[in-house]
Amino acid sequence: GFDDSVLICDEVDPILNKILEDNGLKVSYEPEITPEQILEKIANYNIVIVRSRTTITKDMIDKADNCKIIARVGVGLDNVDQEAAKAKNIRVINAVEGAMNAVAELVLGLMLSLARQTTRGDRGIRNEQWLKKELKGTELRGKYLGIIGLGNIGKRLGRLAHALNMNIIGYDVVPIDEEFSKEVGLMKADLNTLLQSSDYISIHVPLLDSTYHLLDAQKMSTMKNTAKIINTSRGGVVDEDALYDALKNGTLGGAALDVFEKEPAIGTKLAELDNVILTPHIGAQTKEAQSLAANVIAEKIVQILRG
Ligand code: NAD
């Protein structure tokens, strides 16, 4: 066993706690801990674990003199100051495997909901309106799905959408997996071609300086006016003001967002629009994804400590 001490700052699957304790680690589980409290006690811990509620800032890392590992039980690392961690020789780890299928399945559901306007139909019935005539939909079969970012989630989505007989167009800044490309008959394209040709555009890139507002007003103006954008990556990747204008003016067909520039996105003006589906960052919120991510992180930590 190890005598290292672990601070868990967010709610995580209990399996994580269990595996770490079984390996002799001392775990403080504090899913409600505040940033001030973290600043106060971070110096006492060798390992700090977060999910998405907590942000590990440079201030915190500056005080983390005994820290060896910062772990994120999830994919995106934008809530950890990685530069500060690197400067202090702290390993930053994440669990890419957990969310892959969960997010891809959510995108599939959102595309189907956009195509058939199920959320609008549901709202109608609740407001005593039977919108059968208004809700003539379209089918996904044969439509062009543009996937921006063919990493873990983008590829899983490509495979699911291929099974529905969609045509898959892909754009990435690195070479795309050949086996995957063959399997789904991928049409590789540059970003502009993808945007001009797609009926659905789903984004699966990390939030970086280079991806901030990757879809802005200019890019949106090149898309089909029936095109639908699905963003389950990070809020900053899509310019929300531009998206609102395009949807309102009818130069875009619809959008489904799971992530927002500001979260919680309560009060977003996008909620005024009928052709938008909004979900509260639930991409990885499945039992399976959370327990897989917790297992992966626990195993990674134990491996690192074993050297
Ligand atoms: P990944 O690292 O496996 O894949 C990301 C891909 O994006 C890589 O292939 C990379 O080369 C590509 N990329 C980077 N910059 C690009 C650019 N400018 N243009 C095109 N491609 C670019 O990551 P992943 O596991 O597939 O996750 C993708 C995104 O999903 C991340 O932003 C992550 O934070 C987000 N995510 C969201 C949820 C959620 O709850 N909604 C859950 C998990 C992950």
Side-chain angles (χ1 to χ4, degrees):
F2 311 98
D3 51 11
D4 295 63
S5 57
V6 184
L7 177 63
I8 301 182
C9 303
D10 292 327
E11 199 179 320
V12 297
D13 192 291
I15 190 75
L16 179 52
N17 223 320
K18 187 177 179 311
I19 299 177
L20 295 178
E21 282 178 345
D22 287 350
N23 279 280
L25 288 132
K26 245 176 51 229
V27 182
S28 304
Y29 185 58
E30 302 196 34
E32 309 285 326
I33 194 168
T34 64
E36 293 72 32
Q37 291 169 327
I38 294 176
L39 274 169
E40 241 168 65
K41 54 171 107 172
I42 196 166
N44 304 328
Y45 294 93
N46 310 112
I47 297 163
V48 177
I49 298 178
V50 299
R51 201 150 74 92
S52 39
R53 188 192 65 103
T54 295
T55 294
I56 299 295
T57 60
K58 179 167 189 312
D59 284 2
M60 294 174 186
I61 291 171
D62 283 343
K63 298 204 165 170
D65 289 333
N66 294 303
C67 187
K68 300 190 237 179
I69 303 170
I70 297 173
R72 154 101 165 94
V73 190
V75 184
L77 283 170
D78 37 279
N79 61 330
V80 177
D81 189 325
Q82 294 180 72
E83 242 169 74
K86 200 172 168 197
K88 235 178 141 91
N89 247 332
I90 299 173
R91 292 269 299 262
V92 177
I93 60 173
N94 61 350
V96 296
E97 300 86 348
M100 194 162 107
N101 187 61
V103 178
E105 284 190 15
L106 178 67
V107 174
L108 205 60
L110 292 171
M111 286 201 295
L112 288 162
S113 301
L114 286 167
R116 306 300 288 272
Q117 304 189 65
T118 51
T119 52
R120 210 181 137 205
D122 175 84
R123 277 197 298 279
I125 292 181
R126 288 168 203 266
N127 292 314
E128 293 168 22
Q129 291 176 308
W130 190 252
L131 298 175
K132 180 177 169 101
K133 278 210 193 78
E134 291 83 345
L135 295 188
K136 183 179 243 176
T138 52
E139 298 179 19
L140 296 187
R141 180 171 62 178
K143 297 294 183 302
Y144 286 76
L145 166 62
I147 303 179
I148 305 175
L150 279 302
N152 289 303
I153 298 171
K155 283 193 289 184
R156 178 69 185 144
L157 172 63
R159 290 186 162 109
L160 295 177
H162 176 66
L164 298 188
N165 301 112
M166 295 187 86
N167 302 301
I168 320 291
I169 309 175
Y171 165 71
D172 201 308
V173 288
V174 301
I176 299 172
D177 184 336
E178 279 304 327
E179 202 180 302
F180 161 79
S181 300
K182 262 197 220 130
E183 202 179 313
V184 307
L186 186 77
M187 291 170 269
K188 288 178 198 156
D190 57 41
L191 183 57
N192 285 326
T193 308
L194 178 150
L195 295 176
Q196 287 161 20
S197 322
S198 298
D199 301 299
Y200 292 85
I201 293 155
S202 193
I203 310 164
H204 302 285
V205 301
L207 178 59
L208 307 167
D209 288 340
S210 59
T211 59
Y212 179 76
H213 285 189
L214 185 66
L215 296 191
D216 58 11
Q218 188 276 326
K219 290 275 187 338
M220 288 177 202
S221 73
T222 68
M223 300 176 198
K224 297 184 184 182
N225 52 28
T226 51
K228 298 170 181 70
I229 294 176
I230 302 102
N231 187 17
T232 59
S233 66
R234 280 294 178 267
V237 178
V238 175
D239 181 340
E240 273 174 32
D241 289 330
L243 180 66
Y244 174 85
D245 290 342
L247 291 166
K248 193 158 174 128
N249 302 335
T251 56
L252 265 185
L257 304 180
D258 186 48
V259 289
F260 302 86
E261 299 201 49
K262 194 174 140 267
E263 296 182 12
I266 305 297
T268 172
K269 60 185 172 181
L270 287 160
E272 294 165 18
L273 307 173
D274 251 338
N275 50 353
V276 174
I277 301 174
L278 308 169
T279 54
H281 203 145
I282 55 171
Q285 280 283 67
T286 66
K287 264 194 174 158
E288 294 86 344
Q290 290 308 319
S291 99
L292 186 56
N295 272 292
V296 167
I297 286 297
E299 273 159 34
K300 279 191 182 176
I301 289 173
V302 171
Q303 291 244 305
I304 290 173
L305 295 181
R306 285 209 179 108

